[in-house]
Amino acid sequence: MMKTKKRSSEPKRLALVASRGTLDWAYSPFILASTAAAMEMEVAMFFTFYGLTLLKKKIEAKVAPHANPAMPMRIPFGPQGLQNIQWPVPNLLSTNLPGFETVATSLMKQAFRKNGVATVEELRDICLESGVRLIGCTMTMDVFGINKDDFIEGVELGGAATFLEYAADADIQLFI
Amino acid sequence: MTKIQEDQFLDCRGLNCPLPILKTSKVISDMRKGEIVKMVSTDQGSISDVDAFTRRTGHKLLDSEAGDGEYIFYIRKV
């Protein structure tokens, strides 16, 4: 990629595309963006396709066990012996059992909380407070019928060119 | 080591990545230049993360110690 030479005194820039909407994929972009801001970098996040749901006032992201065949499941409570077992989740079970996603999501959230991991909403708040630009993809909004009113305050709207204009001068570009 | 007198104490025990770095960054941003924060963490990633954070931001990692599953860092704001 052609890049314009930047002065060393300018802050490093991170440009990040968030394209997934499940809970396991929601964490990475917000962890990286909030940490980059803490490390005094400039950050812009472009939310497109299912990533757009991460801008909604209430994030309803769930884990999708049947899309993650390697995902181990652990029970985050009870006797230590029980907690240490990695329960295999057969695809047949995870796709057909009603409410399985909800159970898996609840277990994962409990495991996160127990391990002192922030919630996705907390990380998103930190991003906003740190001046991270959150850009919603207008094309996907039109396709999915999502309005700006569905989003939290402070979200910018834009298309591919808006993101690329920023990314062209970025030191790090990530697609998640 | 010589005892370093901290101006701020930040308890990040029980918190996992990226919270120790996010909280440290927040505390430092509210401190005056030259002041020192003592941060305690139980996240083993902190050893590498605090090192990377201070090198990137220019704040000075004065000292660090580890023991009993706890990691202690003294960082001076520049």
Side-chain angles (χ1 to χ4, degrees):
Chain A
M1 175 183 242
M2 290 274 288
K3 278 211 314 186
T4 48
K5 195 87 179 163
K6 291 181 66 177
R7 297 192 309 276
S8 59
S9 60
E10 285 180 9
K12 296 283 182 186
R13 267 190 177 191
L14 167 65
L16 192 158
V17 178
S19 67
R20 310 283 187 111
T22 51
L23 184 63
D24 44 338
W25 285 89
Y27 265 101
S28 315
F30 286 118
I31 287 173
L32 291 169
S34 58
T35 306
M39 293 171 83
E40 298 175 6
M41 300 183 198
E42 277 181 18
V43 188
M45 306 174 79
F46 186 63
F47 295 83
T48 186
F49 277 79
Y50 310 116
L52 215 52
T53 57
L54 304 178
L55 293 174
K56 288 191 168 183
K57 285 174 184 134
K58 182 163 169 30
I59 297 177
E60 281 159 2
K62 289 184 176 176
V63 281
H66 46 269
N68 296 287
M71 187 179 101
M73 287 285 291
R74 290 187 195 220
I75 300 176
F77 46 78
Q80 201 62 44
L82 208 61
Q83 287 190 35
N84 287 338
I85 300 172
Q86 302 232 3
W87 303 90
V89 182
N91 272 1
L92 193 66
L93 180 72
S94 62
T95 32
N96 291 337
L97 200 66
F100 189 85
E101 279 192 356
T102 308
V103 172
T105 302
S106 164
L107 286 176
M108 189 178 271
K109 282 188 173 173
Q110 284 185 53
F112 275 138
R113 201 177 310 125
K114 195 186 162 196
N115 284 286
V117 181
T119 65
V120 174
E121 284 89 347
E122 283 166 349
L123 292 170
R124 184 176 67 176
D125 286 346
I126 291 169
C127 284
L128 270 172
E129 287 163 17
S130 329
V132 171
R133 287 175 65 190
L134 309 182
I135 307 166
C137 167
T138 45
M139 181 277 276
T140 328
M141 287 170 69
D142 292 344
V143 173
F144 290 163
I146 299 173
N147 301 310
K148 195 178 183 198
D149 296 341
D150 298 324
F151 293 156
I152 48 165
E153 292 272 321
V155 170
E156 296 172 43
L157 301 187
T162 306
F163 174 73
L164 288 172
E165 196 271 332
Y166 180 89
D169 283 328
D171 303 278
I172 309 164
Q173 299 108 351
L174 298 174
F175 187 96
I176 298 178
Chain B
M1 61 168 250
T2 42
K3 178 86 179 115
I4 297 172
Q5 188 55 51
E6 72 269 16
D7 302 287
Q8 298 275 341
F9 176 72
L10 178 61
D11 187 357
C12 290
R13 283 174 290 197
L15 299 178
N16 215 321
C17 172
L19 285 175
I21 291 299
L22 298 182
K23 287 183 178 287
T24 301
S25 157
K26 178 88 171 60
V27 164
I28 288 178
S29 72
D30 293 336
M31 289 182 347
R32 285 193 300 270
K33 281 183 183 176
E35 285 187 330
I36 295 165
V37 59
K38 174 185 181 180
M39 191 272 271
V40 185
S41 161
T42 47
D43 169 24
Q44 59 174 336
S46 292
I47 303 166
S48 167
D49 282 356
V50 169
D51 200 36
F53 168 78
T54 50
R55 259 184 290 145
R56 170 56 45 200
T57 57
H59 301 305
K60 190 158 172 52
L61 178 58
L62 300 174
D63 205 349
S64 59
E65 40 184 307
D68 264 354
E70 290 193 357
Y71 311 93
I72 303 171
F73 305 92
Y74 294 89
I75 305 163
R76 175 187 281 138
K77 176 169 181 167
V78 292

Short mmCIF file of all heavy atoms in Angstrom, two decimals, chain A residues 118-164:
data_model
loop_
_atom_site.label_atom_id
_atom_site.label_comp_id
_atom_site.label_asym_id
_atom_site.label_seq_id
_atom_site.Cartn_x
_atom_site.Cartn_y
_atom_site.Cartn_z
N ALA A 118 -13.64 -6.76 31.14
CA ALA A 118 -14.69 -5.74 31.02
C ALA A 118 -15.80 -6.24 30.09
O ALA A 118 -15.58 -7.15 29.30
CB ALA A 118 -14.08 -4.47 30.44
N THR A 119 -16.99 -5.66 30.19
CA THR A 119 -18.04 -5.99 29.23
C THR A 119 -17.77 -5.21 27.94
O THR A 119 -17.02 -4.23 27.93
CB THR A 119 -19.43 -5.60 29.75
OG1 THR A 119 -19.49 -4.18 29.87
CG2 THR A 119 -19.73 -6.24 31.09
N VAL A 120 -18.39 -5.66 26.86
CA VAL A 120 -18.23 -4.98 25.58
C VAL A 120 -18.71 -3.53 25.70
O VAL A 120 -18.08 -2.61 25.18
CB VAL A 120 -19.00 -5.72 24.46
CG1 VAL A 120 -18.97 -4.93 23.16
CG2 VAL A 120 -18.42 -7.10 24.23
N GLU A 121 -19.82 -3.33 26.43
CA GLU A 121 -20.35 -1.97 26.60
C GLU A 121 -19.36 -1.07 27.34
O GLU A 121 -19.18 0.09 26.97
CB GLU A 121 -21.67 -2.00 27.38
CG GLU A 121 -22.87 -2.47 26.58
CD GLU A 121 -23.07 -3.98 26.63
OE1 GLU A 121 -22.13 -4.68 27.09
OE2 GLU A 121 -24.13 -4.46 26.23
N GLU A 122 -18.71 -1.62 28.38
CA GLU A 122 -17.71 -0.82 29.12
C GLU A 122 -16.56 -0.40 28.22
O GLU A 122 -16.12 0.75 28.24
CB GLU A 122 -17.16 -1.63 30.31
CG GLU A 122 -18.12 -1.70 31.50
CD GLU A 122 -17.72 -2.76 32.52
OE1 GLU A 122 -16.84 -3.60 32.24
OE2 GLU A 122 -18.32 -2.76 33.60
N LEU A 123 -16.09 -1.36 27.42
CA LEU A 123 -14.97 -1.06 26.52
C LEU A 123 -15.39 -0.02 25.47
O LEU A 123 -14.62 0.87 25.12
CB LEU A 123 -14.48 -2.33 25.83
CG LEU A 123 -13.81 -3.35 26.75
CD1 LEU A 123 -13.58 -4.68 26.03
CD2 LEU A 123 -12.49 -2.83 27.29
N ARG A 124 -16.63 -0.14 25.01
CA ARG A 124 -17.13 0.82 24.02
C ARG A 124 -17.21 2.22 24.63
O ARG A 124 -16.84 3.21 23.99
CB ARG A 124 -18.50 0.37 23.52
CG ARG A 124 -19.07 1.24 22.41
CD ARG A 124 -20.37 0.71 21.88
NE ARG A 124 -21.44 0.79 22.88
CZ ARG A 124 -22.70 0.45 22.63
NH1 ARG A 124 -23.04 -0.01 21.46
NH2 ARG A 124 -23.62 0.56 23.57
N ASP A 125 -17.69 2.30 25.89
CA ASP A 125 -17.74 3.60 26.58
C ASP A 125 -16.35 4.22 26.69
O ASP A 125 -16.17 5.42 26.49
CB ASP A 125 -18.34 3.43 27.98
CG ASP A 125 -19.85 3.21 27.94
OD1 ASP A 125 -20.44 3.46 26.86
OD2 ASP A 125 -20.42 2.80 28.95
N ILE A 126 -15.37 3.38 27.04
CA ILE A 126 -14.00 3.87 27.18
C ILE A 126 -13.49 4.40 25.84
O ILE A 126 -12.84 5.44 25.77
CB ILE A 126 -13.08 2.78 27.74
CG1 ILE A 126 -13.45 2.49 29.21
CG2 ILE A 126 -11.60 3.18 27.64
CD1 ILE A 126 -12.82 1.26 29.80
N CYS A 127 -13.84 3.69 24.76
CA CYS A 127 -13.45 4.14 23.41
C CYS A 127 -14.01 5.54 23.15
O CYS A 127 -13.30 6.44 22.71
CB CYS A 127 -13.96 3.17 22.35
SG CYS A 127 -13.01 1.65 22.23
N LEU A 128 -15.31 5.71 23.45
CA LEU A 128 -15.95 7.00 23.20
C LEU A 128 -15.31 8.10 24.04
O LEU A 128 -15.02 9.19 23.54
CB LEU A 128 -17.44 6.90 23.54
CG LEU A 128 -18.36 6.48 22.39
CD1 LEU A 128 -19.76 6.23 22.90
CD2 LEU A 128 -18.38 7.53 21.28
N GLU A 129 -15.08 7.80 25.33
CA GLU A 129 -14.47 8.80 26.22
C GLU A 129 -13.06 9.16 25.77
O GLU A 129 -12.59 10.26 26.01
CB GLU A 129 -14.39 8.25 27.66
CG GLU A 129 -15.73 8.19 28.37
CD GLU A 129 -15.68 7.29 29.59
OE1 GLU A 129 -14.56 6.99 30.07
OE2 GLU A 129 -16.75 6.87 30.06
N SER A 130 -12.37 8.21 25.13
CA SER A 130 -10.99 8.45 24.72
C SER A 130 -10.89 9.09 23.34
O SER A 130 -9.80 9.22 22.81
CB SER A 130 -10.19 7.15 24.70
OG SER A 130 -10.63 6.24 25.65
N GLY A 131 -12.04 9.41 22.75
CA GLY A 131 -12.00 10.11 21.48
C GLY A 131 -11.87 9.23 20.26
O GLY A 131 -11.50 9.70 19.18
N VAL A 132 -12.12 7.93 20.43
CA VAL A 132 -12.09 7.03 19.28
C VAL A 132 -13.28 7.37 18.37
O VAL A 132 -14.39 7.56 18.85
CB VAL A 132 -12.20 5.55 19.74
CG1 VAL A 132 -12.41 4.61 18.56
CG2 VAL A 132 -10.96 5.15 20.53
N ARG A 133 -13.02 7.46 17.06
CA ARG A 133 -14.11 7.73 16.11
C ARG A 133 -14.84 6.44 15.80
O ARG A 133 -14.22 5.44 15.41
CB ARG A 133 -13.54 8.32 14.82
CG ARG A 133 -13.06 9.75 14.95
CD ARG A 133 -12.41 10.21 13.67
NE ARG A 133 -13.35 10.27 12.54
CZ ARG A 133 -12.98 10.47 11.28
NH1 ARG A 133 -11.71 10.63 10.97
NH2 ARG A 133 -13.88 10.52 10.31
N LEU A 134 -16.15 6.44 15.99
CA LEU A 134 -16.97 5.28 15.65
C LEU A 134 -17.78 5.64 14.41
O LEU A 134 -18.62 6.54 14.46
CB LEU A 134 -17.91 4.91 16.80
CG LEU A 134 -17.32 4.75 18.20
CD1 LEU A 134 -18.41 4.35 19.19
CD2 LEU A 134 -16.22 3.71 18.21
N ILE A 135 -17.50 4.96 13.30
CA ILE A 135 -18.15 5.30 12.04
C ILE A 135 -19.07 4.16 11.61
O ILE A 135 -18.62 3.02 11.44
CB ILE A 135 -17.11 5.57 10.93
CG1 ILE A 135 -16.10 6.63 11.39
CG2 ILE A 135 -17.80 6.01 9.64
CD1 ILE A 135 -14.85 6.71 10.52
N GLY A 136 -20.36 4.46 11.46
CA GLY A 136 -21.32 3.47 10.99
C GLY A 136 -21.41 3.50 9.47
O GLY A 136 -21.48 4.57 8.87
N CYS A 137 -21.41 2.33 8.87
CA CYS A 137 -21.46 2.21 7.41
C CYS A 137 -22.88 2.48 6.92
O CYS A 137 -23.80 1.72 7.21
CB CYS A 137 -20.99 0.82 6.99
SG CYS A 137 -21.34 0.39 5.29
N THR A 138 -23.05 3.55 6.16
CA THR A 138 -24.39 3.96 5.74
C THR A 138 -25.03 2.96 4.76
O THR A 138 -26.23 2.75 4.79
CB THR A 138 -24.34 5.35 5.08
OG1 THR A 138 -23.23 5.37 4.18
CG2 THR A 138 -24.18 6.43 6.11
N MET A 139 -24.19 2.35 3.93
CA MET A 139 -24.74 1.38 2.97
C MET A 139 -25.38 0.22 3.72
O MET A 139 -26.52 -0.16 3.45
CB MET A 139 -23.62 0.87 2.04
CG MET A 139 -24.06 -0.12 1.01
SD MET A 139 -24.16 -1.81 1.61
CE MET A 139 -22.46 -2.34 1.44
N THR A 140 -24.67 -0.34 4.70
CA THR A 140 -25.23 -1.47 5.45
C THR A 140 -26.46 -1.05 6.25
O THR A 140 -27.40 -1.82 6.41
CB THR A 140 -24.18 -2.06 6.42
OG1 THR A 140 -22.88 -1.91 5.87
CG2 THR A 140 -24.45 -3.52 6.68
N MET A 141 -26.45 0.18 6.76
CA MET A 141 -27.62 0.68 7.49
C MET A 141 -28.86 0.64 6.59
O MET A 141 -29.93 0.21 7.01
CB MET A 141 -27.38 2.11 7.97
CG MET A 141 -26.41 2.21 9.13
SD MET A 141 -25.95 3.93 9.45
CE MET A 141 -27.49 4.59 10.08
N ASP A 142 -28.69 1.11 5.34
CA ASP A 142 -29.81 1.10 4.40
C ASP A 142 -30.28 -0.33 4.13
O ASP A 142 -31.47 -0.61 4.13
CB ASP A 142 -29.39 1.77 3.08
CG ASP A 142 -29.15 3.26 3.26
OD1 ASP A 142 -29.60 3.80 4.30
OD2 ASP A 142 -28.50 3.87 2.40
N VAL A 143 -29.33 -1.23 3.91
CA VAL A 143 -29.68 -2.62 3.58
C VAL A 143 -30.41 -3.30 4.74
O VAL A 143 -31.40 -4.00 4.56
CB VAL A 143 -28.41 -3.42 3.21
CG1 VAL A 143 -28.73 -4.91 3.03
CG2 VAL A 143 -27.79 -2.88 1.92
N PHE A 144 -29.92 -3.09 5.95
CA PHE A 144 -30.50 -3.75 7.12
C PHE A 144 -31.65 -2.97 7.76
O PHE A 144 -32.26 -3.42 8.72
CB PHE A 144 -29.42 -4.01 8.19
CG PHE A 144 -28.42 -5.05 7.81
CD1 PHE A 144 -27.20 -5.14 8.49
CD2 PHE A 144 -28.67 -5.96 6.79
CE1 PHE A 144 -26.27 -6.11 8.14
CE2 PHE A 144 -27.74 -6.93 6.43
CZ PHE A 144 -26.54 -7.00 7.10
N GLY A 145 -31.92 -1.78 7.24
CA GLY A 145 -32.99 -0.97 7.81
C GLY A 145 -32.68 -0.46 9.20
O GLY A 145 -33.54 -0.46 10.08
N ILE A 146 -31.44 -0.05 9.42
CA ILE A 146 -31.05 0.48 10.73
C ILE A 146 -30.93 2.00 10.63
O ILE A 146 -30.36 2.54 9.67
CB ILE A 146 -29.69 -0.12 11.16
CG1 ILE A 146 -29.82 -1.65 11.30
CG2 ILE A 146 -29.22 0.48 12.49
CD1 ILE A 146 -28.51 -2.35 11.56
N ASN A 147 -31.52 2.71 11.61
CA ASN A 147 -31.47 4.17 11.62
C ASN A 147 -30.43 4.67 12.61
O ASN A 147 -30.04 3.95 13.53
CB ASN A 147 -32.83 4.75 12.04
CG ASN A 147 -33.92 4.30 11.11
OD1 ASN A 147 -33.79 4.41 9.89
ND2 ASN A 147 -34.98 3.75 11.68
N LYS A 148 -30.02 5.93 12.43
CA LYS A 148 -29.04 6.50 13.34
C LYS A 148 -29.58 6.53 14.77
O LYS A 148 -28.82 6.46 15.74
CB LYS A 148 -28.65 7.91 12.89
CG LYS A 148 -27.37 8.36 13.60
CD LYS A 148 -26.86 9.71 13.19
CE LYS A 148 -25.54 9.95 13.95
NZ LYS A 148 -25.14 11.32 13.99
N ASP A 149 -30.93 6.64 14.91
CA ASP A 149 -31.54 6.66 16.24
C ASP A 149 -31.32 5.36 17.00
O ASP A 149 -31.44 5.32 18.22
CB ASP A 149 -33.06 6.90 16.11
CG ASP A 149 -33.35 8.26 15.53
OD1 ASP A 149 -32.45 9.12 15.57
OD2 ASP A 149 -34.48 8.46 15.04
N ASP A 150 -31.04 4.26 16.27
CA ASP A 150 -30.79 2.97 16.92
C ASP A 150 -29.43 2.96 17.61
O ASP A 150 -29.16 2.12 18.46
CB ASP A 150 -30.82 1.83 15.89
CG ASP A 150 -32.18 1.71 15.21
OD1 ASP A 150 -33.19 1.94 15.90
OD2 ASP A 150 -32.22 1.40 14.02
N PHE A 151 -28.57 3.90 17.23
CA PHE A 151 -27.18 3.89 17.72
C PHE A 151 -27.02 4.73 18.99
O PHE A 151 -27.83 5.61 19.27
CB PHE A 151 -26.24 4.47 16.66
CG PHE A 151 -26.11 3.62 15.42
CD1 PHE A 151 -25.74 4.20 14.22
CD2 PHE A 151 -26.34 2.26 15.46
CE1 PHE A 151 -25.60 3.44 13.07
CE2 PHE A 151 -26.20 1.47 14.31
CZ PHE A 151 -25.84 2.08 13.12
N ILE A 152 -25.93 4.46 19.69
CA ILE A 152 -25.54 5.30 20.82
C ILE A 152 -25.14 6.68 20.30
O ILE A 152 -24.86 6.86 19.12
CB ILE A 152 -24.35 4.68 21.58
CG1 ILE A 152 -23.24 4.27 20.60
CG2 ILE A 152 -24.80 3.51 22.43
CD1 ILE A 152 -21.93 3.99 21.25
N GLU A 153 -25.09 7.65 21.22
CA GLU A 153 -24.68 9.01 20.88
C GLU A 153 -23.21 9.01 20.46
O GLU A 153 -22.42 8.25 21.00
CB GLU A 153 -24.80 9.92 22.11
CG GLU A 153 -26.21 10.18 22.55
CD GLU A 153 -26.82 11.37 21.84
OE1 GLU A 153 -26.09 12.34 21.64
OE2 GLU A 153 -28.00 11.30 21.48
N GLY A 154 -22.90 9.87 19.51
CA GLY A 154 -21.49 10.06 19.18
C GLY A 154 -21.02 9.26 17.98
O GLY A 154 -19.84 9.33 17.62
N VAL A 155 -21.93 8.50 17.36
CA VAL A 155 -21.56 7.72 16.18
C VAL A 155 -21.58 8.63 14.95
O VAL A 155 -22.51 9.41 14.77
CB VAL A 155 -22.53 6.53 15.98
CG1 VAL A 155 -22.29 5.85 14.64
CG2 VAL A 155 -22.38 5.53 17.12
N GLU A 156 -20.53 8.52 14.13
CA GLU A 156 -20.53 9.24 12.84
C GLU A 156 -21.05 8.30 11.77
O GLU A 156 -20.97 7.09 11.92
CB GLU A 156 -19.09 9.59 12.44
CG GLU A 156 -18.34 10.53 13.33
CD GLU A 156 -16.88 10.61 12.88
OE1 GLU A 156 -16.62 10.69 11.66
OE2 GLU A 156 -16.00 10.59 13.76
N LEU A 157 -21.57 8.86 10.70
CA LEU A 157 -21.99 8.02 9.58
C LEU A 157 -21.07 8.28 8.39
O LEU A 157 -20.58 9.38 8.20
CB LEU A 157 -23.44 8.33 9.19
CG LEU A 157 -24.49 8.13 10.27
CD1 LEU A 157 -25.88 8.32 9.68
CD2 LEU A 157 -24.38 6.75 10.92
N GLY A 158 -20.85 7.24 7.61
CA GLY A 158 -20.01 7.41 6.44
C GLY A 158 -19.95 6.15 5.61
O GLY A 158 -20.45 5.10 6.02
N GLY A 159 -19.33 6.26 4.46
CA GLY A 159 -19.18 5.11 3.59
C GLY A 159 -17.73 4.69 3.47
O GLY A 159 -16.88 5.14 4.25
N ALA A 160 -17.46 3.85 2.50
CA ALA A 160 -16.12 3.29 2.32
C ALA A 160 -15.07 4.39 2.16
O ALA A 160 -13.97 4.29 2.71
CB ALA A 160 -16.11 2.36 1.12
N ALA A 161 -15.42 5.43 1.42
CA ALA A 161 -14.43 6.48 1.16
C ALA A 161 -14.03 7.20 2.45
O ALA A 161 -12.87 7.56 2.64
CB ALA A 161 -14.98 7.48 0.15
N THR A 162 -15.01 7.39 3.34
CA THR A 162 -14.74 8.05 4.62
C THR A 162 -13.68 7.25 5.40
O THR A 162 -12.72 7.81 5.93
CB THR A 162 -16.03 8.12 5.47
OG1 THR A 162 -17.03 8.74 4.70
CG2 THR A 162 -15.80 8.90 6.75
N PHE A 163 -13.89 5.93 5.44
CA PHE A 163 -12.94 5.10 6.18
C PHE A 163 -11.59 5.07 5.48
O PHE A 163 -10.54 5.21 6.12
CB PHE A 163 -13.47 3.67 6.32
CG PHE A 163 -12.47 2.75 6.95
CD1 PHE A 163 -12.19 2.84 8.31
CD2 PHE A 163 -11.78 1.82 6.20
CE1 PHE A 163 -11.24 2.02 8.89
CE2 PHE A 163 -10.83 1.00 6.77
CZ PHE A 163 -10.56 1.10 8.12
N LEU A 164 -11.59 4.89 4.17
CA LEU A 164 -10.33 4.74 3.44
C LEU A 164 -9.49 6.01 3.50
O LEU A 164 -8.27 5.96 3.55
CB LEU A 164 -10.60 4.35 1.99
CG LEU A 164 -11.09 2.91 1.82
CD1 LEU A 164 -11.53 2.66 0.40
CD2 LEU A 164 -10.00 1.92 2.22
#
